Amino acid sequence: MQLAYTFATDALRWLLQSRGVRSVLGVTAGALILWLAWRYRSGLHALILNASPLLLLLSIALGILANYLTGLPFRLFLAQHGISIRFRRAGWLQLAAQVTKYIPGKVWSAVLQAQLIGTHRIGGTLLAGMDASIFLMLTLSGLGVALLLVHLTFFGAILWLVTWFAGVALISSKALLARLANTLSATRAGEASTLEPAAGPRSSAMSFAAGGLLHAVVHTASIVTLLMATTDFDAQSLSIAAASVLLAWVIGNLAVVVPTGLGVREVTFIGLSQALALPAEIETLAAVSILIRLAQLVQDVITAGVVVPAIVRPRALE
């Protein structure tokens, strides 16, 4: 049993560290997206043709705002690692780092952000980014579950949402996520962690709860607006579809060997939507998943404009 565990651990570590494997998986996932786009091109064309331009623009704007708002928890986690910056600067740093998620490997956002901050503490920046990523996965998955529960019991959904967010916020405020991120980083490196421990000031649970809820609501509003712009789903179907998108986003993030969860999110969204009995044909579901990916790409292309001026004029982030 110990031999099997050691073999599995070594295999997973090699998979996570192999740039070649990640690149191959990324290309394969990209090919899958292209195949889906071609296979269901008629449904995708119909969605785009009948879409509301104003709602599409609003969805993209809300998506960019949601990315900016990830600076709220990111700033709080940076403080836990002894790096103190203002929220406005943290928000711009998060926007600037969006383009790095398309590059195999998980350190490039930290490298870019550390450069823009003007600090050599890449380790602390990396861990704060991991903290924020785990935090966002927890908050968005919690809201996704609440969107599914609301059809069974409204008060139950509210109770779940309050309890879940309070628990995540409490754990975050005590720097437990920071310790988990440090442990994960050490495990991936295959050695004891040499990164900076979480020794900075603790932020209140209320700050984490407020930041997480604000981001989750805006992020979900972006998704719902996109669905309203392109489909004729009723309120219940919108809720199920939005929940499927949120949970698929989380699962895609867990697929760390594939950049941006490419292909994983799309397939997961289709599977979840069918499992939850969303009244839509697979052609529509595939088209919606691809359109969501395209909307995200547009958001990232727009926010990429932050990177160049930020590097050329670092004061733009101050």
Side-chain angles (χ1 to χ4, degrees):
M1 181 65 72
Q2 181 63 35
L3 181 61
Y5 173 79
T6 302
F7 175 79
T9 302
D10 291 342
L12 179 60
R13 183 178 301 145
W14 175 82
L15 184 64
L16 291 173
Q17 293 179 340
S18 174
R19 292 185 180 180
V21 170
R22 292 197 299 267
S23 298
V24 169
L25 289 175
V27 171
T28 303
L32 173 62
I33 295 295
L34 292 176
W35 178 84
L36 284 174
W38 175 255
R39 173 68 177 79
Y40 300 106
R41 61 189 181 279
S42 59
L44 182 60
H45 179 263
L47 285 184
I48 296 175
L49 189 64
N50 299 319
S52 167
L54 290 178
L55 287 179
L56 282 178
L57 289 175
L58 177 60
S59 173
I60 292 173
L62 287 172
I64 294 174
L65 176 59
N67 287 336
Y68 180 78
L69 290 175
T70 61
L72 287 167
F74 181 58
R75 173 181 176 271
L76 298 175
F77 285 119
L78 279 175
Q80 290 183 352
H81 291 283
I83 302 174
S84 179
I85 61 175
R86 293 180 296 177
F87 160 64
R88 180 174 177 271
R89 196 177 190 190
W92 283 115
L93 285 172
Q94 288 294 86
L95 286 182
Q98 291 303 308
V99 293
T100 63
K101 63 189 178 185
Y102 294 97
I103 306 174
K106 298 295 182 179
V107 300
W108 303 114
S109 60
V111 172
L112 174 63
Q113 289 170 335
Q115 178 185 0
L116 296 177
I117 293 174
T119 179
H120 297 291
R121 298 188 59 188
I122 297 178
T125 308
L126 174 62
L127 288 179
M130 292 176 65
D131 297 334
S133 179
I134 296 172
F135 177 82
L136 295 175
M137 283 192 286
L138 290 173
T139 53
L140 290 179
S141 60
L143 183 54
V145 172
L147 288 174
L148 297 177
L149 287 176
V150 74
H151 303 297
L152 303 175
T153 165
F154 176 79
F155 292 106
I158 296 300
L159 179 61
W160 159 264
L161 196 62
V162 171
T163 303
W164 182 262
F165 269 76
V168 172
L170 183 62
I171 290 172
S172 302
S173 67
K174 294 185 178 299
L176 296 182
L177 285 184
R179 296 190 184 98
L180 174 60
N182 201 1
T183 301
L184 291 174
S185 178
T187 301
R188 290 180 61 183
E191 57 187 15
S193 175
T194 58
L195 301 178
E196 299 94 331
R202 305 291 184 261
S203 299
S204 69
M206 185 62 70
S207 298
F208 277 103
L213 184 60
L214 179 59
H215 167 265
V217 168
V218 174
H219 184 86
T220 305
S222 172
I223 295 169
V224 171
T225 304
L226 180 62
L227 293 171
M228 290 175 60
T230 56
T231 68
D232 56 356
F233 290 163
D234 58 20
Q236 181 173 346
S237 297
L238 281 174
S239 178
I240 294 174
S244 298
V245 173
L246 291 177
L247 296 175
W249 182 88
V250 172
I251 293 173
N253 264 19
L254 293 175
V256 294
V257 293
V258 182
T260 72
L262 192 63
V264 178
R265 293 180 187 174
E266 288 72 21
V267 172
T268 302
F269 167 73
I270 295 172
L272 283 175
S273 298
Q274 290 185 315
L276 295 170
L278 183 66
E281 299 293 332
I282 187 171
E283 182 177 14
T284 300
L285 295 176
V288 168
S289 69
I290 296 169
L291 194 58
I292 290 173
R293 173 67 67 174
L294 290 175
Q296 181 188 46
L297 182 60
V298 171
Q299 294 169 20
D300 293 338
V301 168
I302 293 174
T303 55
V306 176
V307 177
V308 173
I311 294 175
V312 177
R313 295 183 296 106
R315 291 184 180 179
L317 297 178
E318 297 179 356

